[in-house]
């Protein structure tokens, strides 16, 4: 999350910093990072406000008209950037909190993929949308068609090169994921295989889509994997429905999710990573305000 800070309304700034603190602390286990930017002229006071708020993250100062400090976007502009460097949302959370939270839900649910620098051509847009959403085969197919275009103008050449970059990125990502499946299968890492299975099934066609499932089947006889696999699958589903500010805030959504975690912990006597994480979240929620 990259956000602007300004001193125009100090009361609003205090509330904004408190919200950023809740966001960062709630998602410290989900690799969410907050970067706040202010004007160089306000650096001394903003630095003091930032330190007082204690927000986990970083504060920097930029000159006006820099990428994240364009006044045309408003003094309170906030960027939600995905795990692969993609821009998921741009707006003002104070005016569109629902949009901001929805964008965070999307960004937190995505898994990392190789970063691609978006070109200044619109034709590649649909392929990039699929790529960032984890629909890798679909993105590769669309990019391959564009990469096969006979380029005559500079803009067409740029499009062909950018499309080829998407194809290359998907090919490499597929190889990396397949290697991870092989390694996790050999070490019977059930949790990683379950997560990889979800990524591969959402992103690829057979045979790649089935690699993790096959590894899970092959490993079934070497452990109590049948039981733990179910625990991990339920946990994965729960994780994707976790409210953005959980376990920091005790709103209705947080209370409902806490009830689901309680049920999850009670349903299994296995002391696995997901049940341990569920208990840790419940412990943190018990101290929330």
């Amino acid at each position: 999350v990259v956000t602007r800070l300004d001193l125009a309304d100090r009361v609003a700034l205090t509330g904004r910093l408190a919200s950023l603190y809740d966001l960062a602390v709630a998602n410290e286990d989900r690799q969410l990072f907050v970067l706040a930017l202010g004007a160089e002229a306000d650096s001394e006071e903003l630095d003091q406000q930032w330190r007082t708020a204690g927000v986990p993250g970083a504060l920097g100062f930029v000159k006006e008209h820099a990428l994240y400090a364009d006044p045309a976007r408003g003094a309170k502009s906030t960027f939600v950037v995905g795990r692969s460097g993609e821009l998921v949302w741009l707006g003002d959370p104070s005016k569109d909190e629902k949009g901001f939270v929805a964008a965070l839900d999307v960004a937190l649910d995505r898994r990392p993929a190789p970063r691609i620098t978006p070109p200044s051509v619109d034709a590649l847009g649909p392929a990039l949308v699929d790529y960032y959403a984890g629909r890798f085969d679909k993105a590769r197919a669309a990019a391959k068609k564009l990469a096969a275009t006979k380029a005559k103008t500079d803009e067409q050449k740029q499009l062909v090169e950018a499309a080829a970059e998407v194809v290359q990125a998907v090919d490499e990502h597929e190889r990396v994921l397949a290697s991870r499946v092989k390694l996790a299968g050999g070490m019977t890492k059930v949790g990683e295989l379950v997560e990889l299975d979800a990524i591969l099934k959402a992103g690829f066609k057979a045979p790649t889509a089935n690699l993790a499932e096959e590894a899970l089947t092959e490993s079934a006889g070497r452990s109590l994997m049948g039981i733990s696999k179910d625990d991990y699958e339920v946990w994965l589903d729960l994780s994707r429905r976790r409210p953005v500010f959980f376990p920091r805030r005790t709103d209705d959504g947080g209370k409902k999710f806490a009830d689901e975690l309680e049920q999850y912990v009670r349903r299994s006597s296995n002391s696995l990573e997901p049940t341990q994480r569920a208990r840790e979240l419940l412990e943190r929620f018990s101290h929330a305000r």
Side-chain angles (χ1 to χ4, degrees):
V1 175
V2 183
T3 189
R4 283 285 308 275
L5 297 180
D6 73 282
L7 297 173
D9 186 337
R10 284 167 172 75
V11 174
L13 176 61
T14 300
R16 188 173 180 81
L17 288 170
S19 181
L20 288 173
Y21 178 86
D22 285 347
L23 180 65
V25 171
N27 296 281
E28 60 186 4
D29 61 323
R30 295 206 279 182
Q31 294 80 51
L32 182 145
F33 184 78
V34 173
L35 170 62
L37 299 173
E40 288 182 328
D42 300 329
S43 60
E44 186 174 342
E45 186 169 349
L46 282 176
D47 184 67
Q48 182 179 353
Q49 295 266 11
W50 180 261
R51 291 176 182 275
T52 300
V55 181
L59 173 65
F61 303 99
V62 294
K63 296 179 179 179
E64 292 299 328
H65 304 293
L67 173 62
Y68 291 115
D70 187 348
R73 297 191 176 104
K76 298 179 181 178
S77 298
T78 295
F79 301 73
V80 176
V81 182
R83 299 187 188 276
S84 302
E86 75 276 22
L87 178 62
V88 179
W89 187 83
L90 166 61
D92 182 351
S94 66
K95 296 179 179 178
D96 185 12
E97 184 177 5
K98 288 185 177 179
F100 176 59
V101 171
L104 285 169
D105 275 329
V106 170
L108 287 167
D109 188 51
R110 291 180 175 178
R111 304 274 68 82
R115 295 197 173 199
I116 297 174
T117 303
S120 57
V121 287
D122 295 333
L124 194 59
L128 288 175
V129 168
D130 285 325
Y131 179 83
Y132 292 132
R135 299 184 289 268
F136 300 113
D137 254 338
K138 190 174 181 181
R140 179 166 51 191
K144 277 185 175 180
K145 289 182 180 180
L146 294 172
T149 303
K150 292 184 178 179
K152 297 180 180 179
T153 66
D154 289 341
E155 184 177 5
Q156 289 173 340
K157 291 178 181 178
Q158 183 185 21
L159 173 60
V160 168
E161 292 174 358
E165 183 182 352
V166 174
V167 174
Q168 182 179 0
V170 174
D171 288 346
E172 177 61 22
H173 194 43
E174 186 174 19
R175 285 192 291 270
V176 169
L177 290 172
S179 296
R180 286 180 58 191
V181 168
K182 185 175 181 180
L183 182 62
M187 301 177 68
T188 321
K189 292 187 175 181
V190 182
E192 185 171 355
L193 286 173
V194 168
E195 183 169 351
L196 286 167
D197 187 42
I199 294 171
L200 293 176
K201 280 187 166 56
F204 297 95
K205 298 177 182 178
T208 300
N210 301 325
L211 290 177
E213 182 181 6
E214 291 169 355
L216 284 165
T217 301
E218 291 174 4
S219 302
R222 299 202 298 267
S223 66
L224 298 175
M225 203 194 66
I227 299 173
S228 59
K229 176 176 177 289
D230 182 57
D231 289 326
Y232 279 107
E233 288 175 339
V234 175
W235 171 251
L236 184 61
D237 178 61
L238 270 175
S239 299
R240 287 175 169 169
R241 292 186 285 106
R242 173 177 163 183
V244 166
F245 285 99
F246 187 90
R248 179 65 186 168
R249 295 181 179 177
T250 57
D251 51 18
D252 290 342
K255 292 176 182 177
K256 181 180 178 181
F257 188 72
D259 289 340
E260 292 186 68
L261 287 182
E262 290 277 10
Q263 295 174 23
Y264 174 71
V265 170
R266 288 197 299 266
R267 72 184 286 276
S268 175
S269 60
N270 295 325
S271 182
L272 300 169
E273 180 187 358
T275 52
Q276 292 170 6
R277 290 183 63 188
R279 292 189 181 97
E280 289 171 1
L281 287 173
L282 286 169
E283 175 64 20
R284 290 170 60 192
F285 185 71
S286 70
H287 298 292
R289 65 177 189 276

